[in-house]
Amino acid sequence: MKNIYRNIVVASILIGAITFSCSKDFLETEPLGQFSTIRLTNPAGVEGILLGAYSMLDGFGLENQSGWNGTIENWVFGGVVSDDAYKGTDAGDQPEQSFLETFDYQATNLHVRNKWRAIYKGIARSNDAINTLKQVEEVTDARRAQIIAEARFLRGFYHLEARKMWRRAPYIDDEVFVLEDLDSSKVPNDKEIWPDIEADFEAAMNVLPETQTEPGRPTKWAAMAFLAKAKMFQGWDPQSGAANIGKLNEAKPLLEDIILLGGFSLVPTFEENFLVGRRNNEESIFEIQYSISSATTQAANEGTTLNYPYTDPWGCCGFYQPSQNLVNAFRTDANGLPLLDTFNNEDVTSDEGVGLNAPFTPYQNPLDPRLDHTVGRRGILFKGYKIHNRDFIRDQAYAGPYSPKKHIAEPAFFGIGPNPRLSANNYRIMRLGMVILWLAEVEVELGNLERARELVNMIRTRAANPDGFVPRAIQGTDRNDFTIVEGEPAANYVINTYNSSWVDQDVARKAVRMETRLEFAMEGHRFFDLQRWGIAENVMTQYLSVEKNKRSYLSSAQFQKGVHEFFPVPLEAIERSFKDGQPTLVQDPAFP
């Protein structure tokens, strides 16, 4: 099948040059200059603009801005800001991330600014596709409806990302957006935008087909899943944690339809969701598409380019290191069940002080096998390359002994381009496992605890498939040599389903939320899950109280309830929103 991102590389360059010069304000648009709108007001031009809107899904495409600031993979804002990960690398690298990790950020933080820029550039391109289409007659009615549906899906997608980040995010649609009018995007952030986001996804859902011939274009099911996601983000009060039963009831039939009618199924092994060779598989609902060739890397997964081991064959850069808290969360009891309340009472040992070639004692107690597909840790084969050791880490004393793993391409898909840290490993932003666990969350709040247990057990049954366990490997004489011991797992993997009835709603809620963490760890969702459940302050305070004794730079970090659940509106956005002498954007009152 033809991959949409084969076209996006060229289209995004064209549209970026003609329509969206990014050296200007991210909420303003630039005059077309020497380029004529006639060049775009035709079917090919519309399709190119639409592809340009898709190209912003990775957060790149902005001049003088690194994609890891704005990437939809959210490893900074969803991972480093949470209890899943440390910034990693060393103390002096990317200090803007250090401020975020320690909750010492301001409206001038460049990472926050660049995230805003990336999101609202995607919104601008989505609106421009719709508005340009209005001027083109040589498009069939069927294709016209599809273009609008795809553009509205993307617009809803970008606005959802904005609403996750900011309490006060403006909603900009095609009715107010005018490419040539610098003031048209200066829309106040004075209203709740969830209804607008839902309207975009619902409109897309009602038009999009159930399948697409090009991977990367949304289907009816993708729009339905993101509509459900918007409702799940309104399912709890982010301050009190009280459930919004009305919104959860609205999400439930959408989630059930996806599971029962969407034709999706869980892939046999957990690891398959993170392999280049299993992109767009039967579990996938929507993926951010990446591609790479020896000729071009412009559509590769550049947003994670910093998050690779410091050793060969990658050689940089050591960011986004899993926290000890996360590693401990994968501990299980003798029956193979998570330690919901006591997982952090004991550390999974890593022998941090032992040198590269010195013997060490691996952790012997029971572990969930998903740990070693999520985290690189000492003595365990790292995705088929070599056995993880201290040379993977840039500064172990600063950020610990662990490496991120899920985004890294397997050896068969390594080295295609000139940069060894770039690959075509897609980001699975929406897959069936997520929908299943969302439905479990809903069922818990509605009191249907046994149905919730059944749904969680679907996820755990797949995780327990021994075909997916990381095998034991023995180090050879050369650093890159190893021998796999057939039939022997790399650690003491003990995992089981919940076989006793769930009768306590609080315990069931903890179990579902723990399962969500284990299944989606290091995928950029964790902080936003804590935010929407209304438990961010409690979880992060407990996390920091322990981790500050392991990572000294966290000693002064403090999460403030009512403040740090969201991020400040970038000062630059406010300063550039002036219209008739007054700014149209106002700051979140939590950030004076």
Side-chain angles (χ1 to χ4, degrees):
M1 288 187 292
K2 185 178 179 183
N3 190 316
I4 189 174
Y5 268 66
R6 295 173 186 170
N7 300 325
I8 280 179
V9 174
V10 175
S12 62
I13 295 172
L14 172 67
I15 303 305
I18 296 177
T19 315
F20 296 104
S21 176
C22 299
S23 61
K24 301 296 181 183
D25 179 32
F26 41 85
L27 275 183
E28 296 178 352
T29 53
E30 203 176 29
L32 295 180
Q34 63 179 329
F35 295 95
S36 170
T37 55
I38 296 174
R39 297 190 183 186
L40 297 177
T41 53
N42 56 62
V46 172
E47 298 287 358
I49 294 171
L50 181 62
L51 289 175
Y54 278 103
S55 75
M56 288 309 304
L57 287 173
D58 64 1
F60 269 79
L62 297 180
E63 193 174 295
N64 299 321
Q65 177 171 314
S66 301
W68 54 82
N69 302 150
T71 176
I72 294 297
E73 298 188 39
N74 281 321
W75 63 267
V76 175
F77 299 105
V80 171
V81 178
S82 78
D83 53 350
D84 264 12
Y86 312 128
K87 182 202 75 174
T89 183
D90 61 29
D93 208 347
Q94 295 284 330
E96 295 286 339
Q97 288 186 31
S98 297
F99 290 127
L100 289 163
E101 185 179 13
T102 57
F103 300 100
D104 186 26
Y105 47 81
Q106 307 297 324
T108 53
N109 186 284
L110 294 181
H111 278 53
V112 177
R113 181 203 70 175
N114 291 345
K115 180 70 172 177
W116 181 287
R117 283 183 167 187
I119 288 172
Y120 280 95
K121 188 60 66 177
I123 291 167
R125 291 184 177 184
S126 302
N127 284 324
D128 191 44
I130 296 172
N131 283 339
T132 303
L133 179 64
K134 295 173 185 176
Q135 305 173 55
V136 178
E137 296 180 358
E138 307 90 355
V139 176
T140 66
D141 290 344
R143 183 57 193 148
R144 183 179 302 273
Q146 290 294 310
I147 290 172
I148 293 172
E150 290 183 36
R152 291 198 69 176
F153 172 88
L154 292 171
R155 188 171 71 191
F157 181 98
Y158 292 123
H159 278 109
L160 191 155
E161 284 295 310
R163 186 59 183 84
K164 285 163 51 182
M165 288 285 297
W166 297 285
R167 288 184 185 89
R168 295 197 170 193
Y171 179 85
I172 304 172
D173 66 13
D174 57 290
E175 294 297 323
V176 301
F177 178 84
V178 179
L179 182 64
E180 295 83 4
D181 183 355
L182 298 178
D183 286 341
S184 67
S185 296
K186 296 177 179 179
V187 174
N189 57 341
D190 59 356
K191 69 169 187 173
E192 179 55 78
I193 68 171
W194 283 120
D196 299 302
I197 294 169
E198 290 190 19
D200 274 337
F201 286 132
E202 188 164 3
M205 179 184 74
N206 291 332
V207 174
L208 291 170
E210 294 193 4
T211 60
Q212 291 272 20
T213 57
E214 289 185 319
R217 293 191 188 270
T219 64
K220 165 187 174 179
W221 304 111
M224 188 180 295
F226 280 96
L227 176 59
K229 181 174 182 176
K231 294 180 185 297
M232 294 299 291
F233 266 84
Q234 300 168 77
W236 290 266
D237 185 291
Q239 299 302 315
S240 69
N244 182 340
I245 298 300
K247 278 298 172 185
L248 296 177
N249 268 320
E250 290 177 16
K252 181 175 178 177
L254 300 171
L255 299 169
E256 289 177 327
D257 279 356
I258 295 167
I259 294 170
L260 296 175
L261 304 176
F264 304 101
S265 59
L266 296 176
V267 294
T269 63
F270 178 67
E271 183 188 23
E272 290 174 71
N273 283 309
F274 316 107
L275 299 176
V276 180
R278 290 290 277 131
R279 294 178 300 170
N280 302 305
N281 59 46
E282 60 269 28
E283 186 170 342
S284 176
I285 298 174
F286 191 70
E287 297 187 12
I288 310 301
Q289 304 290 314
Y290 297 123
S291 65
I292 190 171
S293 69
S294 59
T296 179
T297 64
Q298 291 186 62
N301 59 343
E302 196 164 355
T304 57
T305 192
L306 297 182
N307 306 338
Y308 284 78
Y310 214 58
T311 188
D312 68 277
W314 309 282
C316 184
C317 295
F319 281 79
Y320 198 32
Q321 290 182 238
S323 70
Q324 185 66 55
N325 181 284
L326 174 63
V327 173
N328 293 346
F330 287 90
R331 293 173 56 227
T332 65
D333 64 19
N335 296 315
L337 295 178
L339 302 169
L340 301 179
D341 296 310
T342 61
F343 72 89
N344 209 34
N345 289 358
E346 172 188 307
D347 285 349
V348 174
T349 54
S350 59
D351 293 297
E352 292 189 36
V354 177
L356 181 64
N357 298 313
F360 74 102
T361 303
Y363 187 74
Q364 300 294 326
N365 291 337
L367 292 168
D368 186 311
R370 286 172 289 188
L371 169 63
D372 291 324
H373 290 299
T374 303
V375 174
R377 62 190 185 99
R378 184 157 188 174
I380 307 296
L381 182 62
F382 189 88
K383 216 153 185 176
Y385 287 93
K386 62 174 73 175
I387 295 173
H388 194 281
N389 207 324
R390 200 167 173 167
D391 53 348
F392 274 58
I393 308 299
R394 187 170 187 173
D395 187 346
Q396 187 162 290
Y398 173 71
Y402 305 115
S403 301
K405 200 170 187 179
K406 285 182 174 179
H407 63 285
I408 293 177
E410 62 270 32
F413 295 91
F414 171 81
I416 295 173
N419 185 335
R421 297 182 301 282
L422 297 179
S423 76
N425 202 4
N426 288 354
Y427 176 48
R428 285 76 164 176
I429 195 169
M430 183 67 70
R431 62 182 195 266
L432 181 63
M434 186 174 292
V435 171
I436 289 172
L437 289 177
W438 280 342
L439 183 56
E441 291 180 24
V442 172
E443 298 290 24
V444 167
E445 301 305 332
L446 298 181
N448 304 319
L449 304 188
E450 283 300 272
R451 175 59 174 155
R453 180 170 71 92
E454 177 186 348
L455 291 162
V456 168
N457 280 343
M458 292 169 63
I459 301 298
R460 294 187 65 77
T461 297
R462 189 261 298 280
N465 182 355
D467 292 341
F469 292 178
V470 174
R472 183 180 173 221
I474 299 174
Q475 180 65 56
T477 54
D478 183 85
R479 178 69 186 90
N480 293 320
D481 289 340
F482 60 87
T483 301
I484 291 177
V485 181
E486 296 294 339
E488 188 172 336
N492 182 18
Y493 300 135
V494 183
I495 183 171
N496 203 350
T497 55
Y498 289 94
N499 297 323
S500 298
S501 297
W502 283 1
V503 296
D504 186 308
Q505 188 181 46
D506 289 338
V507 174
R509 186 181 294 114
K510 286 181 183 179
V512 174
R513 291 176 177 179
M514 174 64 89
E515 201 64 32
T516 296
R517 186 183 193 191
L518 299 175
E519 183 75 6
F520 299 102
M522 301 297 289
E523 294 183 48
H525 302 297
R526 176 62 173 172
F527 178 77
F528 299 110
D529 283 336
L530 299 178
Q531 173 205 89
R532 68 186 177 88
W533 291 330
I535 61 173
E537 189 270 340
N538 181 52
V539 170
M540 293 308 299
T541 297
Q542 290 185 38
Y543 165 75
L544 293 169
S545 70
V546 176
E547 289 292 332
K548 68 182 181 181
N549 299 313
K550 297 179 171 69
R551 310 271 76 88
S552 60
Y553 69 88
L554 292 174
S555 60
S556 61
Q558 184 177 2
F559 186 100
Q560 296 182 50
K561 186 178 180 65
V563 177
H564 293 130
E565 290 87 357
F566 296 90
F567 299 89
V569 176
L571 180 61
E572 182 177 288
I574 295 173
E575 290 177 339
R576 294 187 175 186
S577 74
F578 272 74
K579 187 175 181 179
D580 300 325
Q582 294 293 325
T584 55
L585 296 178
V586 297
Q587 185 56 268
D588 183 336
F591 294 94

